[in-house]
Amino acid sequence: MKNFINLGRDVNRLDGYDKVSGNAKYIADYEFPGMLYAKVLRSPHPHAEIISINTSAAEKMEGVIAVTHSGKCSHKMGLYLVDRPVFATGKVRFKGEPVAAVAALTEDIAAAAIKKIKVKYKMLPLVDNIEDALDKNATLVHPDLMKYSYLPIYYPKKGTNIFNHFPLRKGDIKKGFKQSYKIYENEFTLPQIQHVPMEPHGAIAKWDRNDKLTVYSSVQSPFTLRNLLRLAFGLSHKDVRVIAPYVGGGFGGKAGINMEPLAVALAKEAKGKWIKLIFSREEVFLGTTVRQAMRARVKTGIAKNGRIIAEEIEMIFDGGAYAEYGTNVVRAAGYTCIGPYDIKNVKGDTYGVYTNHLVGGAFRGFGHGELHWAVESQMDIIANDLKMDPAEFRRLNVLKPGSINSMGEKITKHTGDMVACIDAVAKDLKWGKPSKKPAKPYIKRGKGLAVLEKAPAMPANATSCARVKFNEDATVIVQFSGMEIGQGCITALTQIAAERLKMDVSKLHAAGLPDTDFSPYEWQTVASRITWAVGNAIINAVDDAHEKIKKVASKVLKVKASQLDIDGEKVFVIGNKGKSIALPLIIMGYQYPDGHTIGGPVEGVGTFTPHLTNLDAKTGQGHAAAEWTFGCEGAEIEVDTRTGELKILNLVGAFDLGTVINPSTARGQIIGGMIQGLGSAVLEELKYKDGKIANPSFVDYKIPTAADLPDKIKHIFIQTPDDGGPFGARAIGEHPMISIPPAIANAIYDATGVRIKALPLTDEKILSSLKEKK
Amino acid sequence: MSKDITLNVNGIDHHVNIQGNETLLKVLRDKLGLTAAKEGCGAGECGACAVIYNGSPASSCLILAVEAEGVEILTLEGITPKDHLHPIQQAFIDKGAVQCGFCTPGMIITTYSLLKSNPDPSEDEIKKAISGNLCRCTGYVQIIEAIREAARRLKRVKGRRK
């Protein structure tokens, strides 16, 4: 490992003071004079035609300033597939869909006014699950699907509920199965779940009479939001300004465009007034996005030596009422469909289908928690049937340097070390040795593990820009628009800047909260890509600033710029440190003794663009992964066979995250992700009754509390430097959530012999499976 | 129906005009400008709005402002010393217990109350104390470590004072 001055160090979070003191402002904390408050009327039905909307009683109420609905605002929105209207238009497609909105002098008046809006509905047939959606005579949730605009990398199917089909073909699947010694086929499912950021979504918008729009929002992607708002409302980028305060958790739920258009639509009706719309917790459940439900069928062919030689996988995602962002979840899951395995012959078909459920979208893991649930359960079934050690079976079959992955990319030693991750987890779990015998005979203990991989899922033109600005005293302000959503990017990116500047991080200030009028461009804070991509842009920005300093210094010192180097304090001639200029004397321009000055204030600009290609439409082959992070997660558990009660004794995760920028914040990402993964494994499920969501509250939708922690939880860093990452770093944000569910399911099998193929792994489900087994 | 009341918050009497249905959380945030306490659920399930109320932590979203007259209320702003941070706040930074920060004010309030009544809590006692404060980012582990660290530091401060 290199000798870094700012990396691999627990630099305290630069946003720490703001957040422990209450100084940090989130969207709901903003108030402006003359502000109006908004409320949304939502559909009580999952699928119905709108016969009429009558707003006259609401409009007549004292204190009501604006009322809007699809009659006034018929815009559609979407990042990848533009299928979602701001307000339900013609029909409602899920329970909770916005139908109308009111802005009033107070929240109470707005709340009373929406109750006075009369909407007449005529029920339509319900598309309540994947089977309904794929039925030959299915009701179409979007009969106009083919009229929507979408990026050409997606493949909706005419006359169906399929909004995207991603095919992947590698090798010769028929031959692979023909040569197989054993073939296994299983089906796995998982339900929709919610991100549950602690901060409810909110937006504050003002549409001025000169058609300039300003929006504050709890947003992961200020620039993409600006782009999608201007597309939806027909404005120019220069006339839309998005300002992003601290975000109280995102996890994908605040990516792309969300609820902002509701506030904007009201702002357009009440020009010149600030409109504040903050969602209630129930609205976060109903009116944002969720992780899509999925059903997967996996068929795997094994050679006599235990090598996987063929795999056919079909994944069907329940994208809910609108595909929008979720279109790309289908694609990302599709191109990684077999997980981190070296398999010669592959046939993958990944579909997204419309239903009348909550809208699916980006969620930490982005299709990978879903696909690994299926693949890593399947691998365990196979290993156990072959009487092979599940860890050894994986070591034999995972990607290694020289392997070709699902989409035809070659794995090198720089890609990461999957086997080292498996070894680290196995060691921590004392793999191969039986668990300590429990005191009671009805308690069964077991161990399980599961591997994972993920690359940032992004289009080939997802770009980043960063700036470094020198101050008079040679301290530096770093500017970027990666959003601080809790992951610690302000701190990590400032450390990267300091490292390249050869300065201590204390000499830097990060202007981390973006304002699209002033901040450098950033595509989105998603896909675990910020430290990696923006880190590279920052390195380029520092190099640009240094070139500018050297250009002036070369004139002053009368040497070539290439003969100069810069440390944190001065620019100097290489090999002659005495011949130098202190940075404060040059970074605002160099002044000669006679007063005349050359150069000027030094600002460096850097950009970064990943080198990616689109994937082949028929085979899914190409290069969509800018970098991979490999990992392995393990669990030791015990089950009370009388009650089905599951207790987590130990969770461990090892990830090859390359160079660790900040061990404390990296650990925070890993432990936090593993516990969110634990929630998705054993607790979380959005439940429907007659197509209506039945548990939109913390009373009925439980997430892990401190009381749910395992007895032990451990993170392990494997640090194989990434040759394309800033100082060798790679992504870690989403990965820790991904394979906790299969690791626990595999441990339950090890303990009890019961294989559960549907998440979540609740005590009730374990008990009923134990009973079935008897 | 509006009413004039006096709220004692962070040692200061505030005369405010409130609506009968307004929660203490809403009045703290909207009328007193004390926005550290957050609304995460509005139903007393998440702990983001915790304040010290009559010496104990309470969900200010469940208390009507009108009921709070005559009660001593302490918010995160009141815990924060004038020119530095409280040892609990510093321990949260030093131990990496902060991520998005939305639950942090409530967590610190709960910790403040816990360490007042139990200066040397066990790990289980800490877990129990904060089990009503939801955090989606951290997985709680570094929060628990910060609370233990804060307890150690507060004991040292107390020791020095003796």
Side-chain angles (χ1 to χ4, degrees):
Chain A
M1 197 69 30
K2 279 191 188 156
N3 228 352
F4 297 119
I5 51 173
N6 293 292
L7 310 183
R9 244 178 78 192
D10 285 343
V11 172
N12 274 349
R13 290 183 71 108
L14 301 177
D15 52 348
Y17 169 79
D18 277 354
K19 289 177 175 177
V20 300
S21 64
N23 198 45
K25 291 276 175 283
Y26 301 81
I27 188 69
D29 301 333
Y30 284 78
E31 282 286 316
F32 299 118
M35 195 169 227
L36 304 178
Y37 300 87
K39 290 284 178 195
V40 177
L41 177 70
R42 296 176 179 280
S43 163
H45 308 297
H47 202 193
E49 198 182 321
I50 299 172
I51 305 295
S52 64
I53 303 176
N54 185 338
T55 58
S56 56
E59 282 171 53
K60 278 181 204 142
M61 271 183 72
E62 200 182 314
V64 169
I65 309 297
V67 181
T68 187
H69 50 78
S70 62
K72 292 180 181 173
C73 172
S74 57
H75 305 298
K76 276 204 182 68
M77 56 186 186
L79 177 60
Y80 295 121
L81 169 64
V82 186
D83 63 355
R84 188 175 183 185
V86 176
F87 294 101
T89 307
K91 54 182 172 177
V92 292
R93 293 182 172 89
F94 67 99
K95 192 237 168 189
E97 182 165 9
V99 175
V102 172
L105 295 178
T106 69
E107 275 184 81
D108 286 348
I109 296 171
I114 61 166
K115 288 185 186 150
K116 295 207 172 171
I117 297 173
K118 298 274 171 275
V119 186
K120 277 193 189 147
Y121 296 98
K122 186 182 153 202
M123 297 307 134
L124 291 168
L126 179 64
V127 182
D128 202 18
N129 49 47
I130 288 168
E131 290 70 31
D132 287 356
L134 290 175
D135 191 276
K136 261 189 210 151
N137 303 312
T139 299
L140 295 184
V141 180
H142 290 265
D144 290 338
L145 171 60
M146 300 315 286
K147 291 182 191 159
Y148 299 155
S149 77
Y150 56 90
L151 293 189
I153 54 172
Y154 305 113
Y155 308 99
K157 282 193 135 174
K158 194 181 168 184
T160 72
N161 281 312
I162 297 169
F163 59 78
N164 190 17
H165 169 213
F166 183 89
L168 189 130
R169 303 287 183 269
K170 185 190 165 196
D172 184 339
I173 190 72
K174 275 188 190 156
K175 204 170 131 197
F177 280 123
K178 220 173 176 182
Q179 289 171 348
S180 295
Y181 152 71
K182 275 197 164 184
I183 292 173
Y184 298 86
E185 190 166 353
N186 288 288
E187 197 173 296
F188 306 92
T189 62
L190 49 76
Q192 284 185 336
I193 57 173
Q194 231 285 326
H195 310 80
V196 191
M198 290 320 300
E199 176 202 33
H201 298 56
I204 298 171
K206 178 158 71 80
W207 190 305
D208 282 312
R209 288 175 187 83
N210 61 355
D211 290 332
K212 299 258 186 197
L213 173 65
T214 307
V215 178
Y216 287 74
S217 173
S218 57
V219 62
Q220 288 179 228
S221 316
F223 283 91
T224 289
L225 174 62
R226 182 180 71 159
N227 187 40
L228 298 177
L229 280 174
R230 76 110 203 164
L231 279 172
F233 289 92
L235 297 166
S236 163
H237 287 103
K238 74 177 172 56
D239 295 327
V240 183
R241 179 181 177 192
V242 174
I243 300 166
Y246 280 119
V247 171
F251 314 107
K254 293 168 182 169
I257 191 166
N258 270 286
M259 43 75 78
E260 297 87 357
L262 297 167
V264 172
L266 285 166
K268 200 179 174 186
E269 296 297 315
K271 284 186 178 163
K273 293 279 187 189
W274 288 105
I275 308 291
K276 185 174 186 177
L277 174 62
I278 306 294
F279 274 6
S280 67
R281 180 55 59 182
E282 187 184 11
E283 287 181 294
V284 174
F285 276 101
L286 292 172
T288 67
T289 58
V290 299
R291 186 169 92 176
Q292 303 174 349
M294 188 206 62
R295 188 185 82 192
R297 186 181 54 78
V298 192
K299 184 179 165 188
T300 311
I302 307 288
K304 263 203 166 152
N305 62 0
R307 283 285 282 124
I308 307 166
I309 53 173
E311 191 157 87
E312 186 179 293
I313 178 161
E314 181 191 78
M315 284 184 277
I316 303 165
F317 285 86
D318 171 358
Y322 298 99
E324 218 246 274
Y325 204 134
T327 316
N328 201 43
V329 175
V330 173
R331 176 177 180 267
Y335 65 65
T336 319
C337 60
I338 54 173
Y341 289 95
D342 183 342
I343 305 175
K344 212 170 169 188
N345 306 297
V346 180
K347 179 173 183 272
D349 286 288
T350 308
Y351 300 91
V353 297
Y354 286 124
T355 63
N356 294 120
H357 287 173
L358 296 176
V359 179
F363 193 115
R364 190 179 204 169
F366 209 74
H368 291 62
E370 297 91 308
L371 79 92
H372 284 87
W373 164 241
V375 166
E376 284 303 278
S377 296
Q378 172 84 342
M379 293 302 134
D380 216 63
I381 291 171
I382 296 170
N384 281 298
D385 185 73
L386 292 173
K387 299 200 167 33
M388 273 182 83
D389 178 299
E392 199 46 45
F393 177 70
R394 286 178 173 86
R395 284 190 193 98
L396 177 67
N397 283 294
V398 292
L399 296 169
K400 299 176 195 81
S403 301
I404 304 294
N405 73 6
S406 53
M407 62 183 126
E409 296 171 337
K410 192 168 183 180
I411 303 303
T412 73
K413 65 177 183 173
H414 303 292
T415 317
D417 193 339
M418 188 74 248
V419 173
C421 296
I422 298 171
D423 290 347
V425 166
K427 190 179 168 199
D428 185 74
L429 287 178
K430 298 191 173 68
W431 193 259
K433 287 184 189 149
S435 292
K436 217 174 122 193
K437 212 174 168 204
K440 310 276 192 231
Y442 48 81
I443 303 282
K444 304 286 183 200
R445 283 191 179 160
K447 301 174 187 179
L449 56 75
V451 296
L452 65 103
E453 68 169 6
K454 189 180 180 296
M458 56 189 174
N461 62 350
T463 52
S464 302
C465 184
R467 284 199 292 261
V468 291
K469 304 202 309 183
F470 275 89
N471 299 315
E472 291 88 331
D473 61 355
T475 56
V476 173
I477 292 176
V478 194
Q479 294 184 325
F480 49 83
S481 296
M483 272 309 297
E484 179 52 70
I485 58 176
Q487 82 282 47
C489 74
I490 288 181
T491 312
L493 292 172
T494 306
Q495 285 178 257
I496 288 170
E499 190 67 28
R500 194 67 166 189
L501 287 160
K502 297 179 192 141
M503 289 179 170
D504 187 83
V505 72
S506 61
K507 294 253 169 94
L508 278 67
H509 167 70
L513 296 174
D515 174 332
T516 55
D517 268 10
F518 299 100
S519 305
Y521 177 82
E522 179 56 49
W523 177 62
Q524 292 205 79
T525 298
V526 296
S528 315
R529 61 185 281 282
I530 289 301
T531 300
W532 186 82
V534 183
N536 279 327
I538 284 176
I539 286 173
N540 292 335
V542 171
D543 291 352
D544 184 48
H546 278 177
E547 285 312 309
K548 286 171 176 163
I549 294 170
K550 285 179 190 172
K551 201 175 160 191
V552 178
S554 76
K555 286 179 189 163
V556 178
L557 297 172
K558 299 192 170 58
V559 293
K560 284 184 189 157
S562 60
Q563 290 172 273
L564 294 167
D565 197 2
I566 298 172
D567 63 19
E569 291 172 351
K570 59 187 177 304
V571 50
F572 60 91
V573 177
I574 295 166
N576 182 4
K577 273 211 170 186
K579 206 172 173 189
S580 67
I581 306 168
L583 289 181
L585 299 179
I586 194 164
I587 38 83
M588 288 290 146
Y590 181 84
Q591 191 171 29
Y592 285 98
D594 70 354
H596 102 268
T597 303
I598 60 166
V602 174
E603 289 193 21
V605 182
T607 63
F608 178 74
T609 305
H611 302 291
L612 300 173
T613 66
N614 290 342
L615 299 172
D616 184 83
K618 292 202 172 77
T619 65
Q621 300 296 292
H623 179 43
E627 47 97 29
W628 289 99
T629 302
F630 294 149
C632 181
E633 299 186 292
E636 184 172 8
I637 60 98
E638 65 179 37
V639 173
D640 184 330
T641 54
R642 301 168 308 171
T643 60
E645 191 188 338
L646 173 70
K647 190 172 178 221
I648 314 290
L649 305 172
N650 184 15
L651 281 185
V652 54
F655 304 90
D656 193 343
L657 67 170
T659 304
V660 175
I661 305 293
N662 184 319
S664 173
T665 54
R667 177 180 179 226
Q669 284 300 288
I670 294 176
I671 302 280
M674 287 168 71
I675 296 302
Q676 194 170 13
L678 175 64
S680 74
V682 305
L683 292 171
E684 297 178 38
E685 175 175 19
L686 287 162
K687 293 176 181 163
Y688 286 89
K689 193 164 184 284
D690 307 323
K692 298 175 185 178
I693 196 71
N695 56 341
S697 76
F698 286 148
V699 177
D700 298 314
Y701 186 99
K702 295 288 184 197
I703 65 168
T705 72
D708 298 315
L709 288 185
D711 292 351
K712 266 172 65 187
I713 182 163
K714 187 172 171 179
H715 70 292
I716 298 165
F717 299 142
I718 307 292
Q719 300 193 54
T720 310
D722 180 64
D723 53 0
F727 298 104
R730 60 168 73 84
I732 192 60
E734 298 164 278
H735 308 75
M737 178 167 180
I738 290 173
S739 276
I740 294 291
I744 293 175
N746 296 344
I748 292 171
Y749 177 81
D750 185 50
T752 64
V754 162
R755 172 66 59 186
I756 301 175
K757 296 177 184 172
L759 286 177
L761 308 161
T762 59
D763 296 352
E764 299 76 41
K765 214 180 271 174
I766 295 170
L767 184 63
S768 65
S769 302
L770 283 165
K771 281 182 180 161
E772 267 174 46
K773 191 189 156 214
K774 279 180 189 168
Chain B
M1 202 186 59
S2 75
K3 196 183 170 198
D4 291 319
I5 62 165
T6 302
L7 285 179
N8 185 278
V9 183
N10 302 330
I12 298 167
D13 278 341
H14 296 267
H15 305 290
V16 282
N17 182 266
I18 58 146
Q19 299 295 316
N21 64 350
E22 274 181 311
T23 63
L24 174 59
L25 175 64
K26 193 167 165 52
V27 173
L28 288 173
R29 289 177 53 84
D30 295 355
K31 299 204 166 138
L32 304 187
L34 299 170
T35 56
K38 306 294 181 206
E39 179 162 324
C41 69
E45 295 285 335
C46 78
C49 66
V51 297
I52 308 279
Y53 187 81
N54 253 347
S56 303
S59 295
S60 62
C61 75
L62 292 183
I63 299 166
L64 287 176
V66 68
E67 299 170 322
E69 192 160 28
V71 175
E72 278 184 23
I73 298 154
L74 190 60
T75 72
L76 182 70
E77 290 91 342
I79 287 176
T80 311
K82 270 208 173 82
D83 47 14
H84 58 280
L85 291 172
H86 188 279
I88 296 172
Q89 293 171 313
Q90 192 59 50
F92 267 63
I93 295 178
D94 294 343
K95 288 289 167 183
V98 177
Q99 287 194 26
C100 85
F102 200 79
C103 77
T104 307
M107 282 286 182
I108 292 174
I109 288 285
T110 301
T111 304
Y112 182 87
S113 169
L114 168 71
L115 297 183
K116 275 256 165 268
S117 61
N118 180 0
D120 194 14
S122 68
E123 186 158 324
D124 280 346
E125 286 169 333
I126 294 172
K127 283 183 183 174
K128 200 175 161 210
I130 63 166
S131 65
N133 291 80
L134 296 181
C135 168
R136 190 57 149 176
C137 296
T138 65
Y140 306 101
V141 171
Q142 281 156 297
I143 293 175
I144 294 165
E145 289 170 3
I147 296 171
R148 300 194 81 146
E149 178 64 18
R152 272 192 291 274
R153 291 181 188 180
L154 284 168
K155 268 198 293 190
R156 274 208 300 273
V157 173
K158 223 175 161 187
R160 276 205 297 276
R161 275 193 202 132
K162 271 179 191 167

